[in-house]
Amino acid sequence: MSSEHVLFLKKRKKEKILVLLFQILIFIVFILIWQVLSNTNRINTFLTSSPKLIYKTIINLINNNLFNHILVTTYETIISFILSLLIGIIIASILWWNKFISKVIDPYLTILNSLPKVALGPILIIWIGANTKSIIVMALLISSIISIITIYNGFNSTDDNKIKLMKSFNASKWQIYTMLVLRGNINTIINSLKINISMCLIGVIMGELLVSKEGIGYLIMYGSQVFNLNLVMTGIFLLSILSYILYFIISQIKKN
Amino acid sequence: MNLVEIKNLGKIYHTINSEIIALKDISFDIEKNKFIAIVGPSGCGKSTILKILCGLEDKSYGKINKEKNLKFGFMFQQDTLFEWLTIMDNCLLGAKINKCLNNDTINHCINLLKAYGLYEFKDNYPNELSGGMRQRVALIRTLILNPDVLLLDEPFSALDYQNRLKISNDVYEILKKENKTTVMVTHDVSEAVSMADTIIVLSNRPAEIVNIYKIDYDKESPIKNRLKKEFNEYCNKIWGDLNVI
């Protein structure tokens, strides 16, 4: 290895550490300012809570089913994530396979995509009941449409010349689908996972806000109903951590 | 011996507003072990002939008589290699599709890779190869199934000029060695004259045959052919047909 290369690697490492340091620094400064402002009564902790109060709430919650709430939200998110991925791949495949169906369904997909799905909440509660199923269906409604559209667009942008090449080898449509369209779009599918996981989390929280008796969404809703802003802020804090962990796992999958 | 006889072939495309006549009364024969080049202005419908021949498109009228069980191999302008497959797996794609992947085809593939200087790259991926090497891989992929007639659709036009000369030379050597019957479409007159035994000159849309030349001179390799007196004469004649000069 030449000395220039060593220098180059060093510079890159230094930059990486610097970025990480600043990321941590921003977090610490934010927490400190928040705490100092509440200590000096510059802000009303009844409305804004404070890091210390959030910490206390978490400690308190640990004895009161905190992990159960986190587990419920995670479980609902993962189930809807897997289901919406499957729905996305299956429906995108059907649309790719049959152009007629795709043309017929196109306006409906557009309508479903632009419709604010939360508006369907009350209907879901009446149809399915105020339970976990409703929450998962709500998350599916939000995430599946985007996942279908992203994967279908990927399938459709498969290089036409490669399809012709396979046809020149007398490939069947199934062979074109499995060996080229599906295989060539693994990256599109993995990229769609990133959008999907956040959409599922949004859907699950929306569902929990509407119907649930447990989960992080429930904590937030319950907190706001009893004017316990500490609980609301704690919920939001836990949610941020959960969404980051889920996103991080997907990024690792993508890397590998 | 004629492997294929094309008689009065025509192709009409239908759009919402009009009908476009792409090919009009095209007739020619494909002789065994001969190299035919089809030249013509860009977009005149040259490639359509190849696509009709190997069944990628339907003809509108005319007749194509071909020997029973005649196999075509198609090579495209872009190498269309699958980025997620190794060079070896790319070469064996056709065999896999036709479910004839066995030791014979694998050995055939290895021999071709060795013969054309690609064996050491067999486990590499396409993005690790140069444009010229990729094009050679694409040719081997086409040759694996032992096609009787090779159809080359502007195979070198994605390459830069230097590479183009070199790869056309390599490909020509490979085809001669493998005794292949070839039909190549190109808009480059000099490329056609340097490689082909017969040149079919097409007109602008609707494409009709303007002239057919039997290229008859003491041929060596495509690069060396370019230095010969006859090379310029044929080029001038064909450019005349195409109204370039």
Side-chain angles (χ1 to χ4, degrees):
Chain A
M1 210 186 283
S2 71
S3 57
E4 278 100 357
H5 194 69
V6 174
L7 219 67
F8 166 79
L9 290 180
K10 257 188 185 170
K11 204 178 154 195
R12 266 189 65 139
K13 205 175 167 189
K14 207 173 149 190
E15 197 183 287
K16 238 180 161 179
I17 293 171
L18 214 64
V19 169
L20 187 68
L21 268 178
F22 268 89
Q23 285 170 338
I24 297 169
L25 199 70
I26 287 175
F27 180 73
I28 293 172
V29 168
F30 174 74
I31 297 290
L32 273 178
I33 292 177
W34 190 2
Q35 189 59 50
V36 168
L37 288 178
S38 35
N39 282 353
T40 53
N41 285 332
R42 298 279 172 114
I43 51 174
N44 185 350
T45 49
F46 178 73
L47 295 178
T48 60
S49 184
S50 77
K52 218 173 169 179
L53 289 171
I54 289 175
Y55 173 74
K56 274 185 186 164
T57 315
I58 291 177
I59 297 294
N60 193 18
L61 273 175
I62 287 175
N63 303 321
N64 275 309
N65 269 340
L66 170 71
F67 293 109
N68 187 44
H69 289 299
I70 296 175
L71 268 178
V72 165
T73 302
T74 314
Y75 163 78
E76 287 163 348
T77 310
I78 289 174
I79 293 287
S80 44
F81 173 71
I82 294 169
L83 285 177
S84 93
L85 176 66
L86 289 177
I87 291 172
I89 294 176
I90 291 169
I91 295 188
S93 302
I94 294 170
L95 295 181
W96 176 84
W97 193 277
N98 193 322
K99 291 281 169 288
F100 181 75
I101 295 181
S102 137
K103 277 180 194 162
V104 171
I105 256 176
D106 186 60
Y108 294 104
L109 269 183
T110 315
I111 292 170
L112 273 178
N113 190 30
S114 50
L115 179 80
K117 262 69 73 179
V118 70
L120 300 173
I123 301 174
L124 289 181
I125 297 169
I126 295 167
W127 283 357
I128 307 169
N131 51 34
T132 312
K133 272 188 213 156
S134 280
I135 297 170
I136 292 176
V137 172
M138 170 66 88
L140 283 179
L141 277 172
I142 290 178
S143 60
S144 311
I145 307 291
I146 294 178
S147 134
I148 293 168
I149 291 174
T150 320
I151 298 174
Y152 177 57
N153 283 342
F155 284 180
N156 255 355
S157 59
T158 307
D159 184 357
D160 207 32
N161 283 319
K162 287 191 176 124
I163 294 179
K164 278 186 189 148
L165 168 88
M166 290 200 67
K167 281 185 181 164
S168 80
F169 284 133
N170 293 321
S172 64
K173 199 165 184 178
W174 177 249
Q175 284 176 321
I176 295 177
Y177 171 71
T178 51
M179 294 167 89
L180 173 64
V181 176
L182 196 59
R183 179 60 190 81
N185 276 293
I186 294 268
N187 268 338
T188 319
I189 293 172
I190 291 176
N191 279 334
S192 83
L193 297 184
K194 275 189 169 180
I195 312 168
N196 225 348
I197 193 77
S198 21
M199 286 296 152
C200 283
L201 198 56
I202 293 173
V204 164
I205 296 301
M206 261 180 196
E208 285 182 352
L209 290 178
L210 286 173
V211 300
S212 75
K213 296 178 188 69
E214 48 195 352
I216 300 176
Y218 163 77
L219 285 183
I220 296 173
M221 196 58 190
Y222 177 75
S224 77
Q225 278 168 353
V226 298
F227 278 99
N228 182 351
L229 271 294
N230 291 333
L231 195 55
V232 176
M233 289 293 188
T234 307
I236 292 169
F237 175 70
L238 292 173
L239 202 55
S240 319
I241 294 176
L242 180 65
S243 72
Y244 182 75
I245 292 172
L246 291 173
Y247 191 82
F248 180 76
I249 293 170
I250 302 291
S251 307
Q252 287 312 108
I253 294 174
K254 196 188 168 195
K255 259 189 197 167
N256 297 325
Chain B
M1 193 173 93
N2 290 338
L3 293 178
V4 186
E5 290 174 0
I6 299 161
K7 288 210 167 60
N8 296 321
L9 178 73
K11 175 75 185 173
I12 301 165
Y13 288 106
H14 299 276
T15 66
I16 296 171
N17 301 320
S18 63
E19 273 188 353
I20 300 163
I21 305 171
L23 298 173
K24 204 173 160 190
D25 301 333
I26 304 285
S27 304
F28 66 92
D29 300 332
I30 302 175
E31 255 179 279
K32 196 171 181 180
N33 294 343
K34 292 287 179 193
F35 194 122
I36 299 176
I38 302 175
V39 296
S42 291
C44 77
K46 303 182 290 279
S47 305
T48 312
I49 299 177
L50 299 190
K51 283 176 190 150
I52 292 173
L53 273 175
C54 77
L56 286 176
E57 275 189 41
D58 296 324
K59 61 181 191 302
S60 301
Y61 60 86
K63 252 191 168 172
I64 299 175
N65 298 325
K66 49 187 169 187
E67 272 196 355
K68 251 191 181 172
N69 301 325
L70 195 73
K71 276 195 290 182
F72 290 99
F74 205 110
M75 189 172 158
F76 292 83
Q77 185 174 346
Q78 278 89 22
D79 53 58
T80 59
L81 297 181
F82 289 10
E83 304 296 341
W84 55 89
L85 294 181
T86 61
I87 297 306
M88 182 88 173
D89 287 339
N90 262 298
C91 289
L92 291 170
L93 182 71
K96 241 178 244 167
I97 291 172
N98 286 287
K99 300 194 170 73
C100 58
L101 188 65
N102 51 35
N103 282 341
D104 286 346
T105 37
I106 292 173
N107 285 335
H108 184 38
C109 178
I110 290 174
N111 288 338
L112 286 171
L113 285 171
K114 275 183 182 162
Y116 306 119
L118 289 161
Y119 183 68
E120 54 183 304
F121 299 100
K122 71 177 175 36
D123 296 322
N124 287 56
Y125 287 88
N127 61 5
E128 297 167 304
L129 265 59
S130 71
M133 287 160 102
R134 291 173 65 119
Q135 209 60 2
R136 269 186 283 162
V137 175
L139 180 63
I140 293 175
R141 179 180 59 187
T142 316
L143 290 174
I144 288 289
L145 291 178
N146 284 321
D148 304 294
V149 181
L150 262 176
L151 307 171
L152 311 181
D153 186 5
E154 307 249 11
F156 315 116
S157 58
L159 303 171
D160 63 72
Y161 188 68
Q162 304 255 355
N163 251 318
R164 226 181 140 133
L165 288 182
K166 189 172 176 321
I167 298 301
S168 61
N169 217 52
D170 291 353
V171 167
Y172 183 82
E173 298 293 328
I174 296 172
L175 296 176
K176 282 289 147 192
K177 224 171 167 179
E178 308 285 329
N179 262 333
K180 287 294 171 198
T181 310
T182 309
V183 184
M184 177 176 79
V185 156
T186 176
H187 61 263
D188 184 340
V189 172
S190 67
E191 193 172 271
V193 178
S194 73
M195 295 174 87
D197 303 306
T198 305
I199 295 181
I200 297 166
V201 185
L202 296 184
S203 65
N204 249 322
R205 240 179 205 182
E208 287 179 277
I209 294 183
V210 181
N211 231 328
I212 296 184
Y213 291 93
K214 295 273 171 213
I215 306 294
D216 196 16
Y217 63 92
D218 186 22
K219 281 200 218 92
E220 292 175 66
S221 66
I223 289 185
K224 284 183 184 161
N225 289 344
R226 287 173 183 262
L227 304 171
K228 302 207 166 170
K229 184 171 87 312
E230 292 92 335
F231 174 82
N232 283 330
E233 287 170 8
Y234 279 117
C235 284
N236 286 336
K237 273 189 209 165
I238 296 170
W239 279 326
D241 287 339
L242 294 170
N243 298 322
V244 178
I245 46 175

